[in-house]
Amino acid sequence: MNISFAKLDLPKKGAYAVFAAQRGELSPSAKAADKKTKGALSRAAKHAGFKGEKGQTVALAAPGGLDADRLILVGLGPVKQLGALDFERLGAKLYGKLAASGDRQLSIAVDDIEGLGIETSEAAARLAAGVKLRSYRFDRYRTKEPKSKKPTLKKTVIMADAPGAARNAFRGLDQVISGVFLTRDLVSEPANVLHPESFAERIAALEEDGIKVTVLGEKQMAKLGMGALLGVGQGSEKESKLAVMEWNGVPDGEGGAPVALVGKGVTFDTGGISLKPGAGMEQMKWDMGGAGIVVGAMKALAAREAKAHVVGIVGLVENMPSHNAQRPGDVVTSADGQTIEVINTDAEGRLVLADALWYAQEEYKPQAIIDLATLTGAMIISLGHEYAGFFTDSDTLADQLNAAAAATGDRVWRLPLHENYDKLINSPIADMKNVGPRGAGSITAAQFLKRFIKKVDWAHIDVAGMVWDDKDGPLYEKGATGYGVRLLDRWVAENHEQDD
Ligand code: BES
Ligand code: MN
Ligand code: ZN
């Protein structure tokens, strides 16, 4: 999607979107268009029962008196209540409506709106961000899609009184969106294409963005004693990897201890010897979603040259059954020396994270760690697909995450940690076992991770319900959502970034 900014003007072709406030009150541009069409716009609005409610639209094809091929009136609802995220959704909605309409261009007239709580330029930038986010499509393997189903809309012109200010406001958003798109690409790829080795290669390509990338293979990880991570990958033909990305955007390389983002990158989760049932197993290609978010967030930070010091660490493994695979009952030793009885080879994410979390602390002594993982099906049972659940002992970190979620729309909900849950993963033969009883499955998984955290502020975000959606969402077409990138970017920006 090509996005540009220009002065308010009547477009010569394509779709032309104008706004109306509540009760259908037309914006100045809408009024002007109505006049040009000799009142056809307001007549159409009346006949369609258009009340100017938020997201309500009415369209005129081939409007007489205008060069544009289509005129669309979009309702804003009560203007005072509109925030930045509402404009993103409006932009996305417009894109969704027009994507395959035949129009190649969309021009949106963003007049100064009285009583609006945000700057017009910010509203304009957010409209653009919404269009762009919604325009993402993963169609590289669709060779026979009929042309009529393919999007025609290629160009969006956002028109405002001060297009320069809007363009500037959009730049930062667009840089973060490049990270969101990378995450969506990674999550969408099938597991025969994106496996630990090829995933590591894609991460290595981020060197071009100024990110320092180090990839550890099995030999190096064995040397470090990462028996927990390696046990998960030992049934796979593909070599397990630990990929480390470092972004230091603090001037003069200062910035002290970094913050660490750690991700679960199980490129396919069959369950291993504790094999999953066949129905729906294809979904487990996105069991690398946590790693996908971390990689996308690193790209976003580098793209906007964040003045922050951040390391991203992802454990990349494929969980397969084979004659080499680890068995239920095996005892493995993690890099920090703790022993784990592997009761269920399908509770593999926590094993991967145990060693990745150790590495983050050992190598970087970070100020704070956030890990992200599609860790438990139980998460989807408790929160569905609306909120990711998170766990932390730090109220400060919890406040920070809640604030970043509110600002970006990537919703999170805090769930408890408690020593009584921790007891549930004691093992009679080793220091711990990798599963607890049936109840509170997401919490016992978090307690397991906590056993690998020393003295550092840490939060675990279980994104099992968030990285993929089987239906269209407000800012994405069905499939990979890109959830989490904006959350992490915002968290870094608000709490770990130097001011200009
Ligand atoms: N990757 C799964 C969790 C998952 C399931 C994510 C469905 C998204 C959708 C994880 O590795 C897993 O298999 N967890 C088990 C844990 C159980 C064996 C304690 C689960 O949730 O069933
Ligand atoms: Mn599993
Ligand atoms: Zn898994």
Side-chain angles (χ1 to χ4, degrees), residues 264 266 269 284 287 346 348-349 374-375:
K264 167 181 172 181
V266 176
D269 181 13
M284 285 298 106
D287 206 20
D346 196 12
E348 84 298 340
T374 50
L375 203 59

Side-chain angles (χ1 to χ4, degrees), residues 107-122:
S107 308
I108 310 178
V110 194
D111 301 285
D112 288 331
I113 307 163
E114 211 171 314
L116 190 64
I118 59 173
E119 302 269 341
T120 306
S121 55
E122 177 70 8

Side-chain angles (χ1 to χ4, degrees), residues 109-402:
V110 194
D111 301 285
D112 288 331
I113 307 163
E114 211 171 314
L116 190 64
I118 59 173
E119 302 269 341
T120 306
S121 55
E122 177 70 8
R126 295 292 183 145
L127 280 165
V131 169
K132 179 120 184 206
L133 280 164
R134 188 62 177 73
S135 73
Y136 174 90
R137 236 173 154 236
F138 187 80
D139 55 8
R140 67 192 297 185
Y141 302 117
R142 309 180 71 163
T143 68
K144 296 194 167 149
E145 190 178 33
K147 238 185 151 186
S148 59
K149 292 249 164 80
K150 288 213 186 283
T152 53
L153 199 61
K154 296 282 184 306
K155 186 169 159 52
T156 299
V157 185
I158 309 282
M159 301 183 300
D161 259 340
R167 189 182 298 117
N168 285 340
F170 178 63
R171 192 168 298 121
L173 295 168
D174 194 28
Q175 285 155 345
V176 176
I177 290 172
S178 74
V180 175
F181 284 7
L182 174 58
T183 299
R184 288 181 183 174
D185 282 345
L186 294 168
V187 167
S188 302
E189 285 289 5
N192 61 327
V193 174
L194 197 83
H195 47 70
E197 295 165 7
S198 56
F199 198 165
E201 280 166 22
R202 293 214 191 181
I203 291 169
L206 291 176
E207 290 264 2
E208 277 190 25
D209 301 57
I211 295 171
K212 193 177 143 210
V213 179
T214 317
V215 178
L216 308 192
E218 289 181 355
K219 258 202 181 135
Q220 288 154 295
M221 288 192 277
K223 236 178 156 176
L224 293 167
M226 296 189 170
L229 185 154
L230 290 168
V232 176
Q234 79 187 33
S236 169
E237 280 293 322
K238 300 288 191 268
E239 187 182 356
S240 300
K241 305 278 184 187
L242 188 84
V244 183
M245 295 149 274
E246 182 171 4
W247 168 255
N248 194 346
V250 180
D252 308 322
E254 291 294 319
V259 294
L261 308 174
V262 177
K264 167 181 172 181
V266 176
T267 59
F268 197 82
D269 181 13
T270 64
I273 297 299
S274 312
L275 194 62
K276 286 182 182 294
M281 204 205 275
E282 72 284 353
Q283 301 237 343
M284 285 298 106
K285 75 169 185 181
W286 47 261
D287 206 20
M288 37 53 69
I293 296 170
V294 169
V295 174
M298 294 305 296
K299 165 126 187 149
L301 293 167
R304 65 174 186 79
E305 299 184 40
K307 292 192 179 60
H309 188 194
V310 184
V311 288
I313 298 174
V314 293
L316 309 177
V317 302
E318 185 183 46
N319 188 20
M320 296 293 271
S322 92
H323 66 285
N324 291 322
Q326 76 178 342
R327 294 145 294 257
D330 283 3
V331 174
V332 296
T333 305
S334 65
D336 74 345
Q338 300 189 78
T339 57
I340 306 157
E341 184 188 11
V342 180
I343 297 292
N344 188 324
T345 63
D346 196 12
E348 84 298 340
R350 61 199 76 182
L351 298 169
V352 173
L353 286 174
D355 281 336
L357 287 167
W358 170 82
Y359 189 84
Q361 294 166 90
E362 188 69 16
E363 196 66 24
Y364 292 98
K365 309 270 181 282
Q367 307 173 38
I369 305 180
I370 297 181
D371 81 69
L372 300 102
T374 50
L375 203 59
T376 63
M379 198 69 246
I380 305 176
I381 304 298
S382 37
L383 296 181
H385 305 283
E386 300 302 331
Y387 286 81
F390 78 95
F391 304 81
T392 183
D393 284 329
S394 161
D395 292 343
T396 310
L397 201 43
D399 289 346
Q400 292 172 355
L401 283 171
N402 282 325

